[in-house]
Amino acid sequence: MTKLHRRALLGAAGLLPLAALPRLGFAQGNWPARPVRFIVPFTPAGTTDIAARILAEQLHQRLGQAFPIENRGGAGGNIGSEVAAKAEPDGYTILMQTVSSGAINYALYAGQIGYKPSDLANVGLLIKVPNVIFVNPELPVKNLRELVALAKSKPNELNHGSSGAGTSLHMTGELLKLEAGIQMTHVPFRGAGPMMAEIMAGRVEVGVDNLPSAIGHIREGRLRALAVTTPVRSPALPDVPTTAEEGLPGVEATGWFGVQAPAKTPKPVIDKLGATIDAVVKDKEVWARLADLGGMKPDLTPDGGTSPEAFETFVAAEVKKWAEVVRRSGAKVDG
């Protein structure tokens, strides 16, 4: 090769766009070569944020680079999710996704959402959280079958509360109404705390919440748990039946948290990150910390969905399921 040719090649290499440079290193297996932005589409201190910070710490330790958290809350998780979906797919932006922003919102915010499922690549499922259906202890029902019978005898006279319109808890209540063939009035609150306070005061009769935040009130008798919305009973509440045991197998719903990345993120990055998340979930000490979210060690399960392929299948099923619930219930984001 002549000196002229060498100079021409070197000059051409110098013209490569900076965005292409990280990709040149993927084949050499050096990702991550710098900090990775970790977007959380909700405000600090919530369950999503706490889980993301535990995971970020582990990714830092295992991959040698920082994963700084960037909280981009708003619009039910849509704002942060859209930021991640539109980020450069170079392996240096990831997203902590949830059932709301990662499945329900596509149908609930139809025409108002700036991203779609194909804009995000699935990396791995971190944890799943059971939901629980409960009532004020003074309500004359001891189980879910009796609640259904009471609701059928009093159409639209019973209220069901949730932590907000469009949340997975709101939609679990809608799913219950659809599967049981009952009519209740949805009352959205700004958070689970105000909702449970109103139920304990007797002004709202029925509620749905993630088990971690409701279990204290249930154990102390301020709320009566009727059923958990998972296929098997919760070890934290072994005497509470599942919805399937109560004759409503279609009322199955969990809160979940997993990692996604912008679509077209290089597969070697997805695979490496997915394998690392899988190792985190299988680490007993880390698992104990994740499971301690809400003080329910046995209830948070990876459910075998920590590989990118398994999480892809899981998310696709969730998107389809909740789109049908939104369609059938006519649920609106404004309550």
Side-chain angles (χ1 to χ4, degrees):
M1 182 182 293
T2 67
K3 289 183 179 180
L4 181 60
H5 286 156
R6 274 198 300 271
R7 287 174 182 167
L9 288 172
L10 288 172
L15 294 176
L16 283 172
L18 291 178
L21 294 180
R23 291 182 175 82
L24 296 177
F26 291 149
Q28 301 169 20
N30 68 343
W31 178 90
R34 54 185 170 85
V36 178
R37 178 173 64 158
F38 196 170
I39 295 176
V40 175
F42 296 95
T43 55
T47 303
T48 310
D49 180 70
I50 294 169
R53 290 178 189 278
I54 293 173
L55 178 59
E57 176 188 329
Q58 287 298 312
L59 295 177
H60 184 190
Q61 292 178 12
R62 295 164 188 265
L63 296 173
Q65 290 289 346
F67 284 72
I69 299 294
E70 182 178 317
N71 294 96
R72 299 293 293 268
N78 291 345
I79 292 175
S81 297
E82 183 175 350
V83 170
K86 294 182 176 179
E88 179 71 22
D90 56 5
Y92 289 92
T93 296
I94 62 173
L95 169 71
M96 177 60 88
Q97 193 58 284
T98 72
V99 60
S100 295
S101 49
I104 295 171
N105 288 3
Y106 293 116
L108 196 65
Y109 286 83
Q112 307 173 53
I113 190 169
Y115 62 100
K116 54 187 182 297
S118 59
D119 292 331
L120 291 161
N122 295 292
V123 181
L125 179 64
L126 187 64
I127 52 177
K128 292 175 70 177
V129 185
N131 292 337
V132 60
I133 300 167
F134 49 81
V135 296
N136 180 293
E138 298 301 316
L139 196 70
V141 298
K142 301 295 184 183
N143 53 55
L144 190 58
R145 292 176 190 271
E146 291 183 0
L147 174 63
V148 169
L150 180 63
K152 285 184 176 179
S153 70
K154 299 181 176 182
N156 284 320
E157 291 187 32
L158 298 182
N159 297 319
H160 71 101
S162 78
S163 57
T167 63
S168 62
L169 307 172
H170 169 202
M171 298 312 300
T172 300
E174 296 298 331
L175 183 59
L176 169 63
K177 292 189 291 185
L178 287 170
E179 293 294 321
I182 58 177
Q183 297 174 11
M184 296 189 293
T185 301
H186 176 234
V187 181
F189 291 87
R190 292 189 175 183
M195 178 263 292
M196 287 188 285
E198 288 298 289
I199 292 176
M200 289 185 282
R203 289 184 285 269
V204 175
E205 294 84 10
V206 186
V208 182
D209 195 15
N210 295 138
L211 186 49
S213 57
I215 194 168
H217 296 303
I218 292 169
R219 285 174 171 167
E220 293 173 13
R222 292 189 290 268
L223 297 172
R224 175 181 293 141
L226 301 184
V228 291
T229 62
T230 42
V232 297
R233 293 192 182 198
S234 164
L237 293 174
D239 295 330
V240 177
T242 66
T243 47
E245 289 178 274
E246 290 293 286
L248 294 170
V251 185
E252 183 178 327
T254 57
W256 53 261
F257 306 86
V259 175
Q260 294 181 325
K264 299 183 181 179
T265 296
K267 192 173 186 303
V269 173
I270 297 293
D271 290 343
K272 186 174 182 179
L273 183 56
T276 306
I277 294 171
D278 185 61
V280 169
V281 169
K282 291 176 180 176
D283 185 307
K284 291 183 179 180
E285 291 185 8
V286 180
W287 183 245
R289 291 181 62 195
L290 286 169
D292 270 334
L293 296 177
M296 293 168 25
K297 292 185 179 180
D299 287 85
L300 308 178
T301 58
D303 202 37
T306 52
S307 73
E309 294 77 16
F311 192 39
E312 174 78 27
T313 300
F314 174 81
V315 171
E318 286 285 281
V319 170
K320 181 178 180 180
K321 168 185 175 175
W322 290 113
E324 182 64 9
V325 173
V326 170
R327 184 191 68 79
R328 290 173 60 198
S329 69
K332 304 294 182 182
V333 74
D334 59 1

